Amino acid sequence: MLDSILIKNFKGIKQLKLDKLSKLTIIGGKNNCGKSSLMEAMSMLFKRMDPNIVIQHSISRGVNVIPTEPEFMWAPVFNDFDLTKKIEINSKFKGKTKKLEIEVQKNVKRNIPVGPLPFNSIQNTSVSIADVLYLKFSDEKSVSEKSGIYLEQNGGFSLNVEHTSPYKPIPTAYFSSRQISNQNEDSERLGRIDINNNVNDVLDVMRSIVPEISSITAIRVSNASMIYVDLGKEKKFPVSYMGDGISRLLSIVLAIATCRSGIVFIDEIENGLHYSVIKDVWKGVVNASNKFDCQIVATTHSHEFLTSACEAMKELDANEPDFSYIRLVKKDDEVFGKAFDYTMLDYAIVSEMEIR
């Protein structure tokens, strides 16, 4: 589990330290206080070897055209768009300290092989000049991974892994607030769940919202896979026809079920859901999180969601729920986090305090 995090120079965050994260962590705060940036920084710890991770941040925020230049591709993840700064993301994961450093170096020269090498010939090389986004990941003892994402000045784009130690990737999933369900990805996850005979666990959560669902099936249609549901009608039909909220909920539950001992990040978890079903949705998420030992980190703007989360915890009979609410506050370009445990949050809600 991700226990704590310290972020420096990432997007709108100059520095933010959160000492205690829980298995169920909800993040709130006003617009532009750093909620999404915090989630993106956390996710980078676990997707650091993905050469498209920085680009995906821009796409998730609605930027669909990105020129292949550092000022457009990389600057948005640096504080004040300043490529001379170094990003640091320090964390404690399962009790062990981990650190990710990200920095840009421009006009880096390197020799690269050119063409096949004839027998007994001298190595033919060409000098390449590139701007490089370096990522260095280390623990308390040594550097375990070091890689560079290269933007060649002649137009090329590549990932070069300079050093890596054997490691088992931590299963993670990230849902942006704008994200539309990916049917192919959901179908692949459902297939993995089905192999392990865990489909009923997914059905139990979905039935709390749509009691009529009797089965969920991944079906190949033309060149794509789609998830169909049986509602007791003459035919099954695609779950996407049930609306964005239901499709997104299914995507989230499938992700939790396939991220055992991992983390699922959900930006604006209440999106697409009617306030009357939020409590049941949260109960389903909590049950899935417990069953699959998956940490949940989610943001919300909704007072109804926070109220429903507390009500759900009471109904789940959780005496000491591993739950926390962190309210981010931005003042004079500095971001701070105020942490509430379950008891404090419940008291604040009953007292009608403003906590969003």
Side-chain angles (χ1 to χ4, degrees):
M1 188 178 83
L2 187 61
D3 303 309
S4 64
I5 193 162
L6 170 63
I7 302 167
K8 296 180 181 180
N9 296 323
F10 186 82
K11 296 195 173 183
I13 300 174
K14 288 183 180 179
Q15 180 165 312
L16 173 63
K17 184 179 182 181
L18 301 176
D19 290 321
K20 188 180 185 303
L21 301 172
S22 302
K23 187 175 183 181
L24 303 167
T25 300
I26 306 299
I27 301 163
K30 296 181 179 179
N31 289 336
N32 197 36
C33 69
K35 298 187 298 297
S36 297
S37 295
L38 170 59
M39 297 257 290
E40 290 166 340
M42 290 178 178
S43 70
M44 284 198 76
L45 282 168
F46 306 100
K47 295 189 174 183
R48 57 193 176 270
M49 298 298 282
D50 181 351
N52 295 313
I53 183 62
V54 175
I55 300 173
Q56 288 169 354
H57 286 180
S58 296
I59 292 173
S60 70
R61 292 181 180 242
V63 180
N64 296 318
V65 179
I66 308 173
T68 53
E69 301 173 24
E71 286 72 18
F72 293 97
M73 293 189 70
W74 299 333
V77 301
F78 287 81
N79 184 243
D80 293 332
F81 288 72
D82 188 348
L83 290 171
T84 65
K85 294 181 177 180
K86 178 192 288 188
I87 295 172
E88 292 185 20
I89 305 173
N90 296 272
S91 69
K92 185 165 285 188
F93 184 77
K94 294 184 177 180
K96 297 181 179 180
T97 300
K98 306 289 184 181
K99 182 178 181 179
L100 176 64
E101 298 172 274
I102 305 171
E103 61 182 329
V104 170
Q105 292 185 19
K106 292 192 172 183
N107 300 319
V108 175
K109 295 182 180 180
R110 60 172 177 160
N111 293 325
I112 56 176
V114 176
L117 300 178
F119 183 69
N120 286 335
S121 69
I122 298 175
Q123 172 78 57
N124 294 319
T125 61
S126 173
V127 176
S128 169
I129 301 177
D131 300 318
V132 188
L133 183 76
Y134 284 110
L135 297 93
K136 183 171 71 174
F137 186 72
S138 56
D139 54 25
E140 297 169 329
K141 297 180 180 180
S142 62
V143 175
S144 56
E145 297 162 26
K146 188 175 181 181
S147 61
I149 300 175
Y150 287 77
L151 282 180
E152 308 289 349
Q153 294 188 1
N154 63 2
F157 178 83
S158 63
L159 170 70
N160 182 44
V161 178
E162 299 179 9
H163 169 73
T164 183
S165 299
Y167 77 105
K168 183 179 180 181
I170 306 300
T172 61
Y174 185 94
F175 293 89
S176 73
S177 59
R178 298 169 177 261
Q179 185 169 333
I180 299 173
S181 297
N182 185 318
Q183 288 288 299
N184 279 323
E185 190 174 79
D186 287 349
S187 297
E188 189 269 337
R189 283 175 172 155
L190 180 58
R192 287 160 57 192
I193 293 167
D194 197 8
I195 289 173
N196 294 313
N197 291 319
N198 290 324
V199 172
N200 283 336
D201 298 315
V202 175
L203 281 171
D204 287 344
V205 177
M206 299 307 298
R207 284 176 184 147
S208 67
I209 310 302
V210 187
E212 300 82 9
I213 295 181
S214 61
S215 69
I216 304 175
T217 311
I219 298 176
R220 186 78 175 175
V221 179
S222 297
N223 294 321
S225 294
M226 298 180 67
I227 293 183
Y228 280 68
V229 294
D230 186 346
L231 297 178
K233 306 294 184 181
E234 184 178 346
K235 291 183 178 181
K236 297 180 181 180
F237 61 92
V239 69
S240 56
Y241 287 6
M242 300 178 70
D244 292 341
I246 299 300
S247 294
R248 191 165 192 258
L249 172 61
L250 177 60
S251 297
I252 290 169
V253 175
L254 292 173
I256 293 172
T258 51
C259 287
R260 185 181 290 274
S261 300
I263 306 179
V264 172
F265 300 94
I266 312 164
D267 202 6
E268 297 183 19
I269 188 172
E270 74 278 4
N271 277 7
L273 298 174
H274 192 264
Y275 76 92
S276 63
V277 301
I278 289 177
K279 181 171 68 175
D280 289 331
V281 168
W282 182 243
K283 287 169 68 175
V285 168
V286 172
N287 286 330
S289 169
N290 289 333
K291 181 172 184 60
F292 297 101
D293 190 28
C294 179
Q295 185 175 12
I296 307 295
V297 181
T299 70
T300 185
H301 285 119
S302 170
H303 186 274
E304 289 84 3
F305 179 84
L306 294 175
T307 301
S308 297
C310 279
E311 291 175 355
M313 290 299 182
K314 292 176 184 177
E315 294 183 14
L316 288 169
D317 238 359
N319 295 323
E320 292 293 335
D322 192 1
F323 170 87
S324 62
Y325 171 63
I326 299 172
R327 183 172 185 260
L328 298 186
V329 178
K330 193 170 187 177
K331 184 177 181 180
D332 299 329
D333 290 333
E334 298 289 340
V335 181
F336 307 91
K338 169 64 176 176
F340 297 75
D341 61 20
Y342 166 69
T343 303
M344 292 170 60
L345 179 61
D346 188 45
Y347 176 80
I349 290 173
V350 171
S351 303
E352 298 184 350
M353 297 170 60
E354 178 53 65
I355 52 176
R356 288 174 296 176

